[in-house]
Amino acid sequence: MMDSPFRVLRLRAQVYFTTLKELPEPQKQEPIDIITASNFNHLIDDLASCDPSIESALPAKVNIDALGHAPVSYQEMENLETEILNLIPETQETDRSML
């Protein structure tokens, strides 16, 4: 059975934010790197492509060119988890295959 796009996006978001949560506390206050910002931006783009109706509710993408001047911390990124997950529709499929 093929996974729904929303299920795949929810899993991607959960993995992204779990990775941030597992960082040591001191590192969470440091500025994110380009890879972390790029992965976040791709997630936002994919969510908007999958469901254009939620695009205006999505958080702004990280301005990678401005990271040196306007740093974003790992903690700030982690704080967006609930906001993003609440925008991804729950699927009716069971998650037993993930166990």
Side-chain angles (χ1 to χ4, degrees):
M1 178 171 74
M2 201 165 157
D3 286 334
S4 77
F6 288 121
R7 184 167 181 220
V8 172
L9 286 170
R10 178 172 285 282
L11 181 59
R12 274 182 53 204
Q14 289 169 332
V15 167
Y16 179 84
F17 288 109
T18 297
T19 302
L20 294 179
K21 281 190 240 178
E22 291 174 351
L23 292 172
E25 283 303 318
Q27 186 177 349
K28 289 184 179 187
Q29 304 313 314
E30 295 176 9
I32 61 172
D33 58 20
I34 291 173
I35 293 171
T36 302
S38 180
N39 287 340
F40 178 79
N41 289 349
H42 287 299
L43 178 63
I44 296 298
D45 285 340
D46 292 346
L47 285 167
S49 295
C50 194
D51 187 355
S53 70
I54 66 169
E55 187 170 7
S56 63
L58 290 168
K61 293 194 299 185
V62 175
N63 183 343
I64 292 174
D65 294 333
L67 280 179
H69 310 294
V72 178
S73 73
Y74 288 96
Q75 184 67 58
E76 289 174 88
M77 297 304 294
E78 184 182 331
N79 293 344
L80 296 173
E81 177 182 23
T82 303
E83 181 180 345
I84 290 176
L85 289 177
N86 285 342
L87 292 172
I88 303 172
E90 296 274 356
T91 61
Q92 298 302 314
E93 302 161 14
T94 86
D95 284 337
R96 292 189 190 279
S97 62
M98 313 286 265
L99 300 175

